[in-house]
Amino acid sequence: MTDWPGRTAAEIAAAVREKRATPREVVASHLARIEALDDRYGAFRTVRAEAALAEAEELGARGDLAGLPLAGVPVAVKDNLAVRGESTRVGSAATPDTPAAEDHVTVARLRAAGAVVVGLTNVPELCVFGTTEGVHGTARNPWDPERSAGGSSGGSAAAVAAGLVPIALGNDGMGSLRIPAANCGLVTLKPGHGVVPAGIGEGDWFGMAENGPLATTVEDVRLMLAVLADAEPLRRAESDGLAVAVSTRSPLAGVPVSRPYADAVRGAAGVLMRAGHQVRRADPPYPASLGATALAHWTAGTAVDARDLDARRLVRRTRVHAALGRRFEGAVSSGAARERLRERLAPFFESHDVLLTPALARRAPRAAAWHERGWLRNVLADSAYSPFTPPWNLTGWPAMSVPFGALPSGAPCAVQLVGRPGSEAALLELAEHLERLRPWRRTAPPAGEPVGGRPAER
């Protein structure tokens, strides 16, 4: 029997389509790995073991199996998207424990493509913060379990990085795909507005939140994105070389960038230059008001999501965040601040096809009971380590996190690629160049093995 955990989604789907594996055996092997390892990583709020095996059995009997792009691929779903027959708790005790009647459209598309949902993954309450912990569990980075997996798609990222599933579904309202992907050595793409259906909570955080894939290879991101967008896979950008701007300047004034992340940007810039791209140093004209704009939108989105919940059942940091956000709802809903930011940054992307930055400013905070700590302490910790992601939710433009280099602990480091609207294909092309020329180990090593102990796993 082949050991399927650790294989890519593309490899698994090809094996199932070609009858070299059945969906049931693939799903069963991943469920066994989840049972053996997830107590250590806290990726899942709930595991659908019995239901997933039954669905895999039904899938194996379908007559159209040979045409399914994700045939038999186990997938994890972030616990703020509806999965038929399961409750959607969004990391909170204040949400109802009521089974969903229908799948979210993105979940339905994954299932229609042949994927099998094995469980729902942990998130911070209402998906607010950049670390994942709360009443339903704490998601840890499989590369460094003393550290948080990040947030808010932390459980989804931990599941993929530990090899519990080959791909996972998450979403990103202020960096919630890119932050945990960067921590956990994964590839992700926050698509531009309108590429993938959103429908995340009430209003998608004023249109800033987007659903997207978490995977270990660019090929799997491309494959999953095509399914989520209900489109043909994005063709590789045909160009003689993209114009890449390189910047290590933090968008938030006064936030320093640690040496490993600055070094990762410089290393990635060198790789892209050798691949034939036009690379030069250039800082975007971030406005001094960016921090205040981001905070207003971040808190206002939470205020909307908390509106119909019993505040007594929310943890204190969430209550404070939502209370502050109620003051900003009116101004934020107009969209004026976001439009001003787009107008300020658009000329920069007339001169540059892609922006290369650090994905994070420093490693993630320790995995701890951050939900029991004060609001200001949470906000300061999040802002200090993830200042590079929020601008691109405010603009609504596509952005990726791609593994590159390593931290002193041996855990992965990462860079961010950002483009103008419609540039997803260009971002994927650059990510493929980085992957080919500087391959990364795709999943975390087993417990007890040194993180840097073996070469890249392909």
Side-chain angles (χ1 to χ4, degrees):
M1 178 178 174
T2 301
D3 188 12
W4 293 107
R7 301 293 189 94
T8 68
E11 290 171 336
I12 290 171
V16 170
R17 288 193 299 265
E18 295 164 10
K19 307 293 187 182
R20 292 183 283 114
T22 67
R24 183 183 176 89
E25 71 181 90
V26 170
V27 169
S29 65
H30 283 84
L31 288 170
R33 187 171 176 91
I34 292 169
E35 184 176 10
L37 296 180
D38 195 42
D39 283 349
R40 186 178 305 156
Y41 302 129
F44 286 93
R45 176 184 67 86
T46 188
V47 178
R48 308 177 64 249
E50 186 176 339
L53 287 172
E55 290 166 14
E57 195 76 48
E58 292 175 8
L59 177 67
R62 283 176 55 169
D64 62 347
L65 199 61
L68 300 180
L70 293 176
V73 175
V75 63
V77 174
K78 185 176 180 178
D79 192 23
N80 66 342
L81 296 171
V83 173
R84 185 181 64 253
E86 306 292 340
S87 59
T88 309
R89 301 306 305 271
V90 203
S92 181
T95 51
D97 190 17
T98 306
E102 300 291 340
D103 287 330
H104 186 275
V105 60
T106 54
V107 176
R109 288 180 178 181
L110 291 172
R111 281 180 152 161
V116 178
V117 177
V118 297
L120 288 94
T121 57
N122 275 318
V123 299
E125 186 171 63
L126 304 192
C127 298
V128 174
F129 293 98
T131 56
T132 292
E133 64 289 303
V135 295
H136 299 296
T138 297
R140 298 172 179 270
N141 184 348
W143 293 90
D144 186 358
E146 294 301 312
R147 297 279 162 181
S148 173
S152 62
S153 304
S156 286
V160 177
L164 309 184
V165 287
I167 55 174
L169 178 60
N171 37 58
D172 189 317
M174 277 283 171
S176 291
L177 282 167
R178 289 160 290 156
I179 294 167
N183 285 325
C184 296
L186 303 179
V187 191
T188 192
L189 190 153
K190 178 195 77 69
H193 186 65
V195 174
V196 171
I200 308 159
E202 184 182 337
D204 305 324
W205 274 22
F206 302 94
M208 296 188 301
E210 304 291 346
N211 292 310
L214 287 154
T216 64
T217 67
V218 179
E219 179 184 28
D220 277 2
V221 166
R222 190 185 293 276
L223 175 62
M224 190 173 172
L225 182 66
V227 170
L228 294 173
D230 193 22
E232 292 296 319
L234 286 172
R235 297 189 180 277
R236 287 160 177 79
E238 296 180 4
S239 66
D240 295 329
L242 295 166
V244 180
V246 180
S247 175
T248 57
R249 176 193 165 198
S250 170
L252 299 182
V255 177
V257 177
S258 67
R259 182 171 178 176
Y261 284 97
D263 286 347
V265 170
R266 286 189 282 268
V271 169
L272 295 178
M273 186 178 297
R274 291 191 293 276
H277 299 288
Q278 305 158 40
V279 179
R280 69 181 184 91
R281 178 67 185 262
D283 292 328
Y286 301 119
S289 60
L290 182 59
T293 300
L295 181 65
H297 285 73
W298 184 19
T299 57
T302 303
V304 172
D305 286 347
R307 187 179 293 152
D308 297 325
L309 300 178
D310 183 349
R312 295 168 299 180
R313 305 196 70 187
L314 297 172
V315 299
R316 185 173 181 275
R317 67 175 181 179
T318 309
R319 293 199 303 271
V320 173
H321 210 72
L324 179 60
R326 284 195 287 273
R327 306 178 185 182
F328 300 124
E329 280 188 59
V332 163
S333 64
S334 74
R338 295 181 65 199
E339 183 57 32
R340 286 194 298 271
L341 181 63
R342 282 189 287 263
E343 290 174 355
R344 183 180 180 95
L345 293 174
F348 181 84
F349 285 92
E350 292 173 3
S351 304
H352 309 94
D353 298 310
V354 173
L355 169 66
L356 168 66
T357 77
L360 301 171
R362 63 183 67 182
R363 65 180 177 171
R366 291 193 174 276
W370 284 91
H371 63 296
E372 297 175 357
R373 296 176 177 176
W375 173 81
L376 183 59
R377 190 174 178 187
N378 273 271
V379 168
L380 291 177
D382 286 1
S383 300
Y385 101 99
S386 58
F388 287 95
T389 57
W392 316 113
N393 296 92
L394 290 166
T395 61
W397 298 344
M400 291 189 73
S401 179
V402 183
F404 195 96
L407 301 174
S409 66
C413 200
V415 296
Q416 177 177 236
L417 300 171
V418 182
R420 62 174 73 92
S423 66
E424 286 85 357
L427 299 183
L428 289 165
E429 177 188 339
L430 293 185
E432 284 176 330
H433 287 162
L434 295 175
E435 181 180 32
R436 184 177 70 253
L437 298 171
R438 285 289 187 90
W440 50 81
R441 182 170 183 166
R442 294 192 299 102
T443 54
E449 181 186 305
V451 170
R454 291 190 301 189
E457 194 179 274
R458 302 305 296 157

